Amino acid sequence: MRRSICLSLAATLLFAAAAGCGQQYDPNAVTIMGKTSDLDKPYMTEIFDHYRETTGKNLNIRAVEDALFEEEALRALGTDDAPDILLHFHNADLNRFRVEENFLYFDDAAWVDELTDSAKAYCTDANGHLLGLPYWESSVSGCYYNKKLLKGFKAPTSQEDFDGLCESLMRLNITPLLWPANCSWMAQFGLDPLFADQPEGPETLAKLNANEIKYEDIPAVTDMVTWIADAAAKGWFGKDYLKMGWDDISPALASGEAAMVFIWDTWFYTDFTAGKYTVDDFALMPIFMNTTAGGTYEGGNLNMMMVNKNSTKKDEALAFLDFCATPENYNVAFNGISTVSVFKHQTTNIQSKMVTDAKSSLAKYERVSTANTRILGYSADDMMYALNALFKGDLTPAECVRQMDSKRAEKALAAGFTGF
C-alpha cells in the first residue's frame, strides 16, 4: 500500500491546510476531520460558516482525500494530531476505530430528543449507545410505483400480493419491476430485515461478522436469491434488464414502460426526468423480496459527528454539536436541501410527498440501513456480479449464495478483519 509515503510529513501538511482554501490552522479552534467530498457538501459548509459568523469562533476543517480517509483517520487517533470531531458513517469500517476507547457516547445528550426515531436508530450501536450526532441528508428507500399504472389494483401487503400484482402487470404488457442489473443496491434492501429486526437480527449479524455463520446458514438469504431468480425468469424485470444501468432508470419510469422500482426518494429530485409521467404520478410502498412478511423500507445512511473522548478541546467540541443540533441553526444549514427530516423540528428542507403520504406504513416497516453498512466485507458490486451470473445461468441460487459468502470473506480479510 502507498499509505507509507511520508506519513509524518503528511500529518504536518494536514495541520497547515486544516482550515482549507488557504486558511491557516488555529491551535485554539476545534478540528473536524472528514472526507473531502463529505465536508464539501453545501449543508456542511453552511453550518461551518454559520458557526463562525454567529459565535465569532474559528474551526479547523481537515479534509482528507476520500480514498485515503479511513487509513489517515486511523493513524491520527492516539496521536497529537487526532481530530476533536470525526465525521463518519455508522458502517462496518467503524469497527476498526475502537469506538469505546476513542469516542464519547451521547445517550444523555441534551439534543437526543431533537432526533427523529430513524436517525437515532441509525447512530445507535448494538449495546444501545448513541455514537454521534447525525448531520447529513437522508432518504427512504422503498418500492416506488406509478399510481396511474397501478390504478384499480389493491396495494400489496404481503409477498403473495406483490407477486400477484407482478403477474397482473405482465398480462397488461407492462414491466412490473425495473431491475437495472448494472446497478448494485437492490439486494441490500431484502437483507436488512434479517440483520436489523429484534431480537434475532443483531445476534445473527454478530455471528456473521465473527464468521461463525455464513449467508448459506441463513435460509432467508437463499429464499431471497431464489425469488430474484424466479422473478427474472418470469419476465418481471423486462427483456433488457441485464443491459440496464443508472441512465436507463428514468426513461423507463417516465415513459410508463415499467411500473415499479426499488430506489430512494431523493433520486426523483436529482435524476428523474419527467416524460409521459412526472414525479407526482409516483407513490411509495414497501419492498418485497421474500425475506419478511410485511415488506421493508430502508432508512438513509447518515454521517455522524463523533467526539474524540481524549481531546483537550472536548468541551468546545461538545458545544459545537449543541450548536449544530439547535433548530435555528440546522434549519439554516438544510434550507432547500432535499432530504427526509433528521431532526424533529427540521422545517426548511424539501421532503418528498411520496414519503410523507406513506408515514403510517413507514412507521411499521422501516429498518435502519444495515446490510450495506454493517456486514463486514459487504460489497454491493460483489452481490451484483453474483446475481448477474445467476441470471445468465452460470450459478444456481445455492451457488450464488456461496459466491456471495466467499467474496465477502475476501473483502473482510483485505480490510484487516481477522477470523475469515
Side-chain angles (χ1 to χ4, degrees):
M1 296 180 66
R2 305 187 74 174
R3 64 189 173 99
S4 60
I5 301 174
C6 300
L7 284 178
S8 60
L9 175 59
T12 303
L13 292 175
L14 280 170
F15 273 116
C21 302
Q23 298 180 26
Q24 294 300 308
Y25 172 75
D26 182 348
N28 299 310
V30 167
T31 296
I32 303 172
M33 185 180 194
K35 294 180 180 178
T36 299
S37 63
D38 290 348
L39 294 170
D40 282 345
K41 295 291 186 183
Y43 40 88
M44 299 305 296
T45 58
E46 185 65 38
I47 197 64
F48 298 153
D49 290 344
H50 186 57
Y51 175 80
R52 294 184 183 106
E53 294 167 3
T54 302
T55 67
K57 297 179 180 179
N58 201 2
L59 291 170
N60 297 316
I61 306 303
R62 188 187 299 182
V64 181
E65 183 181 340
D66 289 17
L68 304 176
F69 172 73
E70 296 292 334
E71 294 302 323
E72 177 57 27
L74 281 168
R75 184 208 62 77
L77 285 179
T79 70
D80 290 339
D81 66 323
D84 307 303
I85 296 172
L86 182 72
L87 201 63
H88 203 287
F89 287 91
H90 188 190
N91 57 24
D93 284 332
L94 192 60
N95 292 319
R96 303 167 66 193
F97 283 77
R98 307 184 308 279
V99 173
E100 184 175 2
E101 177 184 336
N102 288 308
F103 295 97
L104 293 175
Y105 292 141
F106 291 96
D107 305 352
D108 300 317
W111 41 260
V112 170
D113 289 340
E114 280 292 318
L115 303 179
T116 61
D117 291 342
S118 59
K120 182 181 178 182
Y122 179 85
C123 298
T124 301
D125 69 10
N127 297 315
H129 294 304
L130 188 63
L131 304 180
L133 173 69
Y135 212 81
W136 205 241
E137 59 194 291
S138 189
S139 61
V140 171
S141 295
C143 182
Y144 288 84
Y145 66 94
N146 187 314
K147 294 183 291 186
K148 290 184 176 178
L149 292 180
L150 268 62
K151 187 176 182 181
F153 289 102
K154 183 180 178 181
T157 58
S158 68
Q159 188 69 50
E160 183 180 6
D161 289 346
F162 184 79
D163 293 353
L165 173 61
C166 290
E167 291 288 359
S168 297
L169 290 170
M170 284 291 291
R171 290 193 288 271
L172 295 175
N173 294 316
I174 298 171
T175 297
L177 178 61
L178 190 63
W179 184 284
N182 290 307
C183 298
S184 58
W185 60 79
M186 291 81 76
Q188 71 193 57
F189 303 147
L191 293 176
D192 280 344
L194 308 182
F195 303 108
D197 288 1
Q198 297 287 349
E200 295 89 356
E203 182 180 352
T204 302
L205 178 63
K207 289 181 178 178
L208 188 73
N209 284 342
N211 204 30
E212 296 173 4
I213 60 172
K214 302 181 185 298
Y215 285 146
E216 64 178 342
D217 299 314
I218 306 171
V221 176
T222 301
D223 291 344
M224 180 188 76
V225 172
T226 301
W227 179 86
I228 293 171
D230 290 345
K234 292 174 182 177
W236 293 357
F237 300 161
K239 295 179 180 179
D240 298 321
Y241 72 99
L242 284 173
K243 301 177 183 178
M244 297 191 75
W246 180 261
D247 293 336
D248 300 304
I249 302 173
S250 183
L253 292 176
S255 67
E257 173 190 340
M260 300 180 285
V261 67
F262 296 161
I263 207 162
W264 46 95
D265 60 304
T266 53
W267 175 87
F268 282 90
Y269 302 93
T270 58
D271 292 88
F272 178 72
T273 301
K276 181 179 180 181
Y277 299 99
T278 71
V279 64
D280 295 331
D281 294 318
F282 289 85
L284 173 62
M285 66 179 176
I287 289 169
F288 292 94
M289 294 180 72
N290 206 30
T291 57
T292 185
T296 186
Y297 303 96
E298 184 183 83
N301 299 322
L302 303 171
N303 243 326
M304 306 179 295
M305 293 184 185
M306 304 176 67
V307 173
N308 181 353
K309 71 189 301 183
N310 304 306
S311 167
T312 59
K313 302 190 189 76
K314 183 169 55 181
D315 290 342
E316 294 91 334
L318 292 171
F320 175 74
L321 265 62
D322 289 343
F323 179 90
C324 292
T326 302
E328 54 263 36
N329 297 326
Y330 60 67
N331 276 316
V332 168
F334 286 93
N335 184 31
I337 300 296
S338 177
T339 175
V340 172
S341 293
V342 172
F343 299 99
K344 291 178 180 176
H345 297 97
Q346 203 165 350
T347 58
T348 58
N349 56 309
I350 301 170
Q351 193 156 228
S352 166
K353 186 175 185 297
M354 295 178 285
V355 171
T356 56
D357 284 349
K359 184 177 180 180
S360 59
S361 180
L362 281 164
K364 292 181 181 178
Y365 302 118
E366 184 180 16
R367 272 89 176 181
V368 172
S369 177
T370 304
N372 185 49
T373 60
R374 302 185 190 180
I375 293 175
L376 297 184
Y378 186 93
S379 165
D381 287 342
D382 286 344
M383 299 290 283
M384 175 192 71
Y385 292 136
L387 287 171
N388 285 352
L390 172 72
F391 295 144
K392 294 171 184 176
D394 297 336
L395 298 174
T396 66
E399 290 169 341
C400 180
V401 173
R402 283 196 288 273
Q403 180 170 312
M404 292 173 178
D405 270 322
S406 63
K407 290 296 184 181
R408 180 178 58 84
E410 288 177 16
K411 285 288 193 305
L413 281 170
F417 295 105
T418 58
F420 291 85

